[in-house]
Amino acid sequence: MKLKTLVRTGNRLASPSEQLHILQCSPVVAFSDKLAEHVALPLYRKQLTTLQINVGKLCNQTCTHCHVDAGPDRRESMSHETAQHVMDFLARSEVKTLDITGGAPEMNPQFRMLVREARKLDKQVIDRCNLTILLANGFTDLPEFLAEHQVSVVASLPCYLEENCDAQRGNGVFGKSIEAIGRLNELGYAQPNSDLRLDLVYNPTGLGLPPGQHELEAAYKSELDSRYGIQFNNLLTITNMPVSRFLDDLLRRGKYDEYMEKLIQKFNPSTIDNLMCRSLISVDWNGLIYDCDFNQMLDLVVAEGAERVHISQLTDDLLAERAIRTANHCYGCTAGCGSSCGGSLVK
């Protein structure tokens, strides 16, 4: 399977505004109306605990579900200047966690600087890793680097069966992922009495919602240990968001309305208090601020009047009690047990 990015093929859904138009004009109950049935609008941010930065769209993979439309042909990349603004914010902030994503975030030239400097500030650092990058030429020392700086690794593995995983992420990805996990285990990740965390991420291969996180984690641990002798800490289940490549796939198969209806029918008000946008802020490769990474891909920017807010302007107080921007893609975070970058929202 050799996919091309939406940008490379000239697909209309490469445009965030086109995606948002489809999401907002479809014959579904508006997310804001559904939300208003259960909470007073607008939805406000609580205490900011996590700064998530998307350092660019360059990636060594091209996955079918990727909401970033990342791939080898993308060139968007966070500059040293913007990365320094990130560090300046962390130095003046009470935020505890720097969450680094992409693309393959490790391919950004600023990745190691960001890790080193954030750890000097005693911030927890999360690397959202696709695993195969750990075996790629020029990156084979990454496992040792991550272990040395006690970086928590959150890695995508959408199934413990090779066929299902490769169907979503590309031929040969599963085998390389297993090898990479083995290397991390050898360095102490997910081992008894070790502080090095390795969490895996599951997302459905079809139109379904994730099953119960606890039960699926038990199955993952049993199957991966018995088949390959590898270990991890926790499994995080994430719903496929109807944006970018997954939105394109839904439309091409004529399944968009069916999927959105499923998300709406499974709306769970118990997820609202724990939505990640209430404690997380997202920064793009240019340094602009968004309420979450999905809003970032739809260009739903945080603004002060007509001006977009940049990381260089950000303070802990600036976004406190600020209304969060929502649209119909938000149903993906509130369906069933809920979905966030930290897994399900309802245990």
Side-chain angles (χ1 to χ4, degrees):
M1 179 182 65
K2 292 185 178 181
L3 294 177
K4 294 182 179 179
T5 62
L6 300 179
V7 168
R8 179 71 176 272
T9 59
N11 191 303
R12 64 189 177 114
L13 293 182
S15 164
S17 61
E18 183 65 23
Q19 293 183 54
L20 195 60
H21 174 74
I22 291 170
L23 285 163
Q24 297 300 85
C25 291
S26 58
V28 300
V29 178
F31 181 78
S32 57
D33 292 340
K34 177 65 75 171
L35 198 62
E37 295 175 12
H38 302 278
V39 297
L41 288 178
L43 190 66
Y44 285 102
R45 176 169 287 97
K46 298 185 286 188
Q47 183 179 3
L48 183 63
T49 62
T50 300
L51 182 75
Q52 185 176 79
I53 58 173
N54 191 310
V55 295
K57 301 186 179 184
L58 176 63
C59 189
N60 62 319
Q61 295 182 188
T62 315
C63 301
T64 60
H65 64 277
C66 181
H67 70 281
V68 180
D69 193 31
D73 60 321
R74 302 303 296 266
R75 293 296 177 264
E76 298 90 337
S77 184
M78 181 175 285
S79 68
H80 178 78
E81 181 182 9
T82 301
Q84 188 57 58
H85 284 311
V86 170
M87 287 300 105
D88 292 343
F89 168 74
L90 288 177
R92 63 179 181 263
S93 172
E94 295 299 317
V95 164
K96 301 299 184 184
T97 301
L98 176 65
D99 187 335
I100 311 177
T101 186
E106 306 87 351
M107 296 181 76
N108 181 279
Q110 313 309 320
F111 175 79
R112 299 193 190 213
M113 180 276 278
L114 288 162
V115 169
R116 290 191 188 100
E117 296 305 312
R119 292 298 295 140
K120 288 179 184 178
L121 294 171
D122 199 29
K123 306 294 185 181
Q124 178 193 13
V125 178
I126 297 173
D127 173 26
R128 295 195 177 267
C129 181
N130 67 21
L131 292 173
T132 63
I133 191 64
L134 303 182
L135 307 180
N137 291 336
F139 299 94
T140 54
D141 64 331
L142 268 172
E144 288 78 10
F145 174 82
L146 297 171
E148 176 187 356
H149 294 281
Q150 295 185 303
V151 176
S152 297
V153 176
V154 177
S156 179
L157 193 72
C159 189
Y160 52 74
L161 299 176
E162 182 173 10
E163 181 179 358
N164 290 345
C165 180
D166 283 2
Q168 187 177 119
R169 304 186 69 209
N171 294 333
V173 167
F174 181 81
K176 292 179 180 179
S177 298
I178 296 300
E179 182 180 348
I181 294 172
R183 288 194 60 192
L184 292 171
N185 286 168
E186 290 171 1
L187 292 168
Y189 277 90
Q191 299 305 295
N193 303 315
S194 172
D195 293 328
L196 297 175
R197 290 196 60 85
L198 169 62
D199 295 330
L200 299 183
V201 175
Y202 163 90
N203 62 290
T205 56
L207 300 183
L209 298 180
Q213 186 168 278
H214 179 73
E215 293 78 11
L216 187 59
E217 178 182 290
Y220 258 70
K221 287 190 171 182
S222 175
E223 293 292 337
L224 291 177
D225 185 25
S226 63
R227 291 169 184 257
Y228 308 105
I230 58 176
Q231 289 78 42
F232 65 96
N233 292 105
N234 293 119
L235 183 72
L236 312 178
T237 57
I238 296 181
T239 299
N240 288 321
M241 299 295 290
V243 299
S244 194
R245 279 189 214 138
F246 187 60
L247 175 59
D248 180 56
D249 183 57
L250 290 171
L251 292 170
R252 284 189 292 104
R253 292 195 287 154
K255 297 292 186 179
Y256 172 73
D257 290 340
E258 177 185 341
Y259 188 69
M260 291 301 297
E261 183 62 27
K262 178 177 293 185
L263 295 181
I264 294 167
Q265 291 299 321
K266 295 294 184 178
F267 176 84
N268 184 353
S270 299
T271 63
I272 295 171
D273 282 346
N274 295 321
L275 289 171
M276 62 182 176
C277 56
R278 307 197 73 178
S279 60
L280 171 149
I281 202 73
S282 173
V283 183
D284 74 3
W285 63 278
N286 276 318
L288 297 175
I289 304 298
Y290 303 80
D291 291 310
C292 72
D293 200 45
F294 302 115
N295 276 16
Q296 182 183 142
M297 299 310 139
L298 293 171
D299 200 30
L300 293 172
V301 72
V302 172
E304 284 279 3
E307 297 296 321
R308 296 180 166 213
V309 177
H310 189 269
I311 183 65
S312 59
Q313 304 166 285
L314 186 62
T315 65
D316 287 353
D317 295 333
L318 180 64
L319 301 181
E321 296 301 316
R322 178 185 288 264
I324 295 166
R325 298 188 69 177
T326 63
N328 287 345
H329 67 293
C330 298
Y331 276 117
C333 289
T334 56
C337 292
S339 180
S340 74
C341 288
S344 66
L345 302 176
V346 180
K347 307 302 181 185

